[in-house]
Amino acid sequence: MSKHFTLRKVKVLDGLRLALVYADGEAFTVDLASIVKRHKTLAPLRDAAVFSKPKITDGGQTLTWAGHDALQLAADNLRARAIEQAGGVSHEFIWHWMDKHQLTLDQAAKHLGLSRRMLAYYRSGEKPVPLTVGLACLGWEMVQAQPGAANDGLFAIAG
């Protein structure tokens, strides 16, 4: 797995927050309160004694909590959540947008005015997703929702 998804350090902060440092040198803070609340399998993390003991496993690909084998969070998902919580656009956003609209990489790149290679970099997380790309995805959705919008993904201006 790539350096940008390999955890090197984790520090427990107040609440259900973690400070994360990845192998590429990037540092993030992630708040897990909503995910812990939403997923029953993560309920043991509400216990401060459990949450205070995270361990980086699988060569930096996973964060686990001692004594609780079911308590695992993937490093790439943690990074994506941290990016989105900070107001950015994550690689997972691109995956979900393409899946939601059943777009291939070639189709999505064409609709966004990007090269196939650049979109692949964004989708893989190898390069950070610019806010403009996230906004382009949302704009494309809005255009497609307009009555009479062209099916080819090009802008359709209603007269």
Side-chain angles (χ1 to χ4, degrees), residues 6-117:
T6 302
L7 271 171
R8 288 291 177 238
K9 294 180 185 176
V10 60
K11 180 181 176 186
V12 176
L13 305 174
D14 61 321
L16 291 173
R17 297 180 322 124
L18 299 170
L20 307 170
V21 178
Y22 287 82
D24 65 355
E26 292 289 326
F28 300 94
T29 299
V30 63
D31 186 340
L32 299 177
S34 65
I35 194 170
V36 168
K37 183 178 181 182
R38 190 170 50 245
H39 298 283
K40 292 178 185 178
T41 58
L42 298 177
L45 292 178
R46 294 179 193 151
D47 180 346
V50 173
F51 189 76
S52 68
K53 297 177 184 167
K55 182 179 179 184
I56 298 171
T57 56
D58 298 325
Q61 304 310 303
T62 311
L63 196 58
T64 60
W65 282 264
H68 295 273
D69 292 337
L71 295 177
Q72 296 184 6
L73 295 174
D76 63 328
N77 298 129
L78 289 167
R79 185 172 179 138
R81 181 162 296 279
I83 288 169
E84 291 174 0
Q85 287 177 354
V89 181
S90 76
H91 72 288
E92 289 184 357
F93 174 86
I94 300 295
W95 276 105
H96 293 298
W97 178 79
M98 288 175 61
D99 181 61
K100 177 181 176 181
H101 299 291
Q102 299 179 333
L103 297 171
T104 66
L105 188 60
D106 287 328
Q107 291 168 330
K110 178 184 174 194
H111 294 319
L112 297 173
L114 297 171
S115 71
R116 183 182 195 281
R117 176 175 287 184

